[in-house]
């Protein structure tokens, strides 16, 4: 069964601190892995996208890693800001015909406090 | 970057009425669009794939007669929730693939509340 699991479910950190979110997946055939940020009541916004051969990718204060062997990914947020408060969703794309299918994780709800 | 818009952003309706939600790709064409539903504290669940010029493809368990999808043009897909009931209350999000490989642009979502 194609599944994407994220941990922790929720996280509270102080402004300026770093944090790391985890994602484990059991999907096949794997195409790529994405991290999205979803503000409350808004659609997801892409942060990073990594293919099988990529180990790490950065986007400003966001750095994602991918271990295709263990099927694990992480999203590291550096020097957190209040605006980082959101749900972070790990999404794995699987090959399905002409259009890949996205498998969504349940997300990690991050709250950054002053 | 590419933008996908949705209208309305929120809607409240009475049980038994039908509600139409529009999804537009503003600066690019999309022969395919995707419709998702998201319940509170849950992940996005793919409901159906909208195909321009042909019938939509529905995921298992999604009633095609209840959730009518029309992909009228290369920039517009509509989702109509027919005879809405309170259990249909949810956050509906559409997305469209962009030009780059595996890019996917999401709309801002539509909050539907059925009383």
């Amino acid at each position: 069964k194609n599944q994407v699991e994220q941990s922790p479910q929720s996280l509270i950190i102080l402004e300026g601190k770093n944090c790391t979110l985890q994602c484990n997946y059991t999907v096949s055939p794997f195409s790529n892995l994405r991290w999205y940020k979803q503000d409350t009541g808004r659609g997801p916004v892409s942060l990073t996208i990594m293919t099988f051969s990529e180990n790490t990718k950065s986007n400003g204060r966001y750095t994602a890693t991918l271990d295709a062997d263990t099927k694990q990914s992480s999203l590291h947020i550096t020097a957190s800001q209040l605006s980082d408060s959101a749900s972070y969703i790990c999404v794995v794309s699987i090959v399905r015909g002409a259009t890949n299918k996205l498998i969504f994780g349940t997300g990690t709800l991050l709250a950054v406090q002053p | 970057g590419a933008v996908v818009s949705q209208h309305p952003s929120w809607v409240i309706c009475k049980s038994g009425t039908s509600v139409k939600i529009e999804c537009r790709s503003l600066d690019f064409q999309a022969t395919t669009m995707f419709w998702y539903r998201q319940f509170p504290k849950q992940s996005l669940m793919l409901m159906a794939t909208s195909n321009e010029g042909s019938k939509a493809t529905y995921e298992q368990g999604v009633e095609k007669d209840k959730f009518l999808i029309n992909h009228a043009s290369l920039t517009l897909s509509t989702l109509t929730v027919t005879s809405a009931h309170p259990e249909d209350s949810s956050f509906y999000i559409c997305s469209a693939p962009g030009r780059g490989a595996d890019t996917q642009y999401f709309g801002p979502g539509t909050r539907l509340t059925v009383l």
Side-chain angles (χ1 to χ4, degrees):
Chain A
K1 182 180 179 182
N2 291 318
Q3 280 189 317
V4 178
E5 297 181 346
Q6 293 185 240
S7 62
Q9 283 190 331
S10 61
L11 181 63
I12 301 174
I13 61 173
L14 294 177
E15 185 179 11
K17 297 296 185 182
N18 305 334
C19 67
T20 300
L21 315 179
Q22 302 291 341
C23 173
N24 298 328
Y25 61 93
T26 54
V27 303
S28 179
F30 177 91
S31 177
N32 58 64
L33 185 144
R34 314 145 185 242
W35 283 93
Y36 285 89
K37 177 186 179 186
Q38 184 179 22
D39 292 313
T40 301
R42 306 292 294 176
V45 174
S46 179
L47 295 176
T48 63
I49 177 171
M50 289 180 291
T51 60
F52 183 88
S53 60
E54 296 177 290
N55 300 120
T56 184
K57 182 161 285 188
S58 291
N59 177 2
R61 295 180 296 103
Y62 301 103
T63 299
T65 65
L66 174 63
D67 186 333
D69 292 330
T70 61
K71 297 186 177 181
Q72 295 180 327
S73 175
S74 67
L75 179 69
H76 186 75
I77 303 175
T78 304
S80 61
Q81 301 176 358
L82 297 179
S83 59
D84 292 333
S85 296
S87 180
Y88 291 84
I89 307 173
C90 175
V91 183
V92 179
S93 175
I94 62 173
V95 179
R96 189 176 80 164
T99 305
N100 289 356
K101 180 176 181 178
L102 302 182
I103 309 295
F104 289 79
T106 52
T108 292
L109 185 60
L110 174 65
V112 180
Q113 295 184 340
Chain B
V3 177
V4 173
S5 70
Q6 285 185 238
H7 178 80
S9 56
W10 59 270
V11 57
I12 302 174
C13 69
K14 292 182 179 179
S15 184
T17 60
S18 294
V19 176
K20 180 186 285 187
I21 303 171
E22 294 185 347
C23 177
R24 293 182 185 272
S25 56
L26 295 185
D27 55 357
F28 66 103
Q29 295 181 334
T31 56
T32 301
M33 291 183 176
F34 303 94
W35 285 98
Y36 297 87
R37 181 166 52 182
Q38 185 178 31
F39 292 107
K41 298 185 179 181
Q42 295 187 23
S43 69
L44 279 73
M45 295 297 296
L46 179 65
M47 298 174 64
T49 302
S50 172
N51 304 299
E52 190 271 337
S54 63
K55 292 182 179 180
T57 305
Y58 290 82
E59 295 298 304
Q60 191 173 16
V62 177
E63 301 175 58
K64 60 182 66 178
D65 293 331
K66 181 170 183 61
F67 298 100
L68 301 179
I69 290 174
N70 181 23
H71 201 135
S73 72
L74 289 173
T75 59
L76 173 64
S77 174
T78 60
L79 168 68
T80 301
V81 183
T82 62
S83 187
H85 288 97
E87 56 265 31
D88 298 323
S89 299
S90 187
F91 193 53
Y92 292 86
I93 303 175
C94 70
S95 74
R99 298 184 190 88
D102 284 320
T103 54
Q104 192 81 218
Y105 300 104
F106 287 86
T110 296
R111 172 74 60 192
L112 170 64
T113 301
V114 185
L115 302 177

